[in-house]
Amino acid sequence: MEKQYRLLYDENLCIGCQACSVACRVENSVPDDLYRVQVHMQTLGTFPNLGMNYERLSCVMCENPPCVSVCPTNASFQSKDGLVHIDERACISCKYCILACPYHARFINPLKNVVEKCTFCYETRVSKELLPSCVSTCPTDALTFGDMRQKNSLVHQKSQKEVLIFPKAHLGTKPKVAFIPNRKGVKS
């Protein structure tokens, strides 16, 4: 049976430290000024009652990925386990997939002249039964990753007890990345 991966991002536990982004950069040799994963910060409230809101941006590994159907060379493809990959040997950098991605999660790596995005560190970690580098590095456990078919897995248990938001769900892309929304209110 194929795995059904999910990544949970808990906005309540994130402290905006950028450890996930740095770990991703190192693991995947991401060039300066480009990102496979970013955490954006927003200040909320009015002084002295301030708070922070954090938003994670990356590929959400759609079940119905618009980036795959527009690729003229099949460089963008979906594996049996539902993850979206890029075959760099087949990529011609036409940018169709970049334009089709509603999550703005793809970019051209100028060092290799190919499109790149988050892969959940599939080649280097997940395929070896390791967690993606962002998940293993997070100091507050704001990220949880695993196979939803394993009922005893932490990702499955959290998914059952939390209210989840799937980014841009109205588009019908069916993301494998879900957010536990921020419940930390700021008094103004």
Side-chain angles (χ1 to χ4, degrees), residues 80-129:
K80 289 179 184 175
D81 56 18
L83 298 185
V84 178
H85 301 278
I86 301 170
D87 180 351
E88 292 183 358
R89 298 165 301 175
C91 180
I92 58 172
S93 303
C94 66
K95 302 179 187 168
Y96 288 165
C97 63
I98 292 173
L99 295 171
C101 175
Y103 302 97
H104 310 290
R106 291 171 168 245
F107 62 90
I108 297 277
N109 181 332
L111 304 176
K112 299 191 276 184
N113 197 32
V114 294
V115 174
E116 288 188 1
K117 64 173 203 68
C118 169
T119 62
F120 286 164
C121 299
Y122 186 81
E123 292 292 322
T124 59
R125 300 183 61 84
V126 171
S127 65
K128 298 171 183 169
E129 301 295 322

Side-chain angles (χ1 to χ4, degrees), residues 18-169:
Q18 304 297 331
C20 57
S21 184
V22 171
C24 176
R25 282 183 138 354
V26 172
E27 181 76 27
N28 299 292
S29 302
V30 178
D32 290 343
D33 301 323
L34 297 171
Y35 304 90
R36 288 184 175 200
V37 61
Q38 295 182 62
V39 175
H40 288 188
M41 295 174 259
Q42 176 186 21
T43 305
L44 302 173
T46 54
F47 183 80
N49 300 309
L50 297 173
M52 299 296 287
N53 192 47
Y54 305 102
E55 179 185 17
R56 183 181 197 276
L57 303 171
S58 72
C59 175
V60 297
M61 292 289 181
C62 304
E63 252 181 68
N64 183 22
C67 57
V68 169
S69 60
V70 299
C71 182
T73 64
N74 297 318
S76 286
F77 67 97
Q78 196 166 25
S79 57
K80 289 179 184 175
D81 56 18
L83 298 185
V84 178
H85 301 278
I86 301 170
D87 180 351
E88 292 183 358
R89 298 165 301 175
C91 180
I92 58 172
S93 303
C94 66
K95 302 179 187 168
Y96 288 165
C97 63
I98 292 173
L99 295 171
C101 175
Y103 302 97
H104 310 290
R106 291 171 168 245
F107 62 90
I108 297 277
N109 181 332
L111 304 176
K112 299 191 276 184
N113 197 32
V114 294
V115 174
E116 288 188 1
K117 64 173 203 68
C118 169
T119 62
F120 286 164
C121 299
Y122 186 81
E123 292 292 322
T124 59
R125 300 183 61 84
V126 171
S127 65
K128 298 171 183 169
E129 301 295 322
L130 299 171
L131 293 172
S133 63
C134 60
V135 176
S136 64
T137 303
C138 181
T140 62
D141 296 325
L143 297 171
T144 307
F145 180 82
D147 183 358
M148 286 296 292
R149 290 198 168 118
Q150 292 180 355
K151 305 295 184 208
N152 61 343
S153 69
L154 186 57
V155 74
H156 184 272
Q157 291 170 2
K158 279 188 177 183
S159 294
Q160 296 304 307
K161 74 174 191 173
E162 296 284 353
V163 172
L164 302 180
I165 294 177
F166 292 88
K168 300 184 181 181

